[in-house]
Amino acid sequence: MSISQPLAIPPGFEQLSKEQQIDYVQQLWDLIIAVPEQIPVPEWHLEIVRDRFSSQDATQKNTWNEVKQRLMSKYRER
């Protein structure tokens, strides 16, 4: 998915320090990922996962739920 037109910069954004701008963007990202089930996954991401998964030893494979839980717990630790 791509944006066809540049986004408008929010009023006051350019007056923020770089640290504040980064914090603002991080807060936006946190809003986006608040419901992970709604985040679209590009097909090329899935292809990479399939390729890597198929190249792994069967004893090393985890279910999607196991991987998702591990990733979500790492995110919550931040």
Side-chain angles (χ1 to χ4, degrees):
M1 177 162 77
S2 65
I3 299 173
S4 58
Q5 298 177 12
L7 294 174
I9 296 174
F13 184 79
E14 292 177 320
Q15 284 71 46
L16 298 173
S17 69
K18 290 301 174 194
E19 184 178 337
Q20 291 170 318
Q21 289 177 351
I22 292 168
D23 185 54
Y24 181 89
V25 172
Q26 180 63 52
Q27 289 181 43
L28 287 176
W29 182 249
D30 290 343
L31 287 172
I32 292 168
I33 64 168
V35 185
E37 305 80 39
Q38 294 180 356
I39 299 174
V41 179
E43 184 59 34
W44 68 272
H45 286 194
L46 297 174
E47 289 172 14
I48 291 172
V49 170
R50 285 185 207 107
D51 289 345
R52 291 182 181 175
F53 192 76
S54 66
S55 68
Q56 292 293 313
D57 179 355
T59 61
Q60 297 176 329
K61 293 181 182 177
N62 296 306
T63 66
W64 168 241
N65 285 333
E66 292 168 334
V67 173
K68 185 177 175 181
Q69 285 297 98
R70 189 171 65 240
L71 292 173
M72 293 302 288
S73 68
K74 285 183 181 183
Y75 176 75
R76 288 185 194 112
E77 291 172 3
R78 296 182 6 183

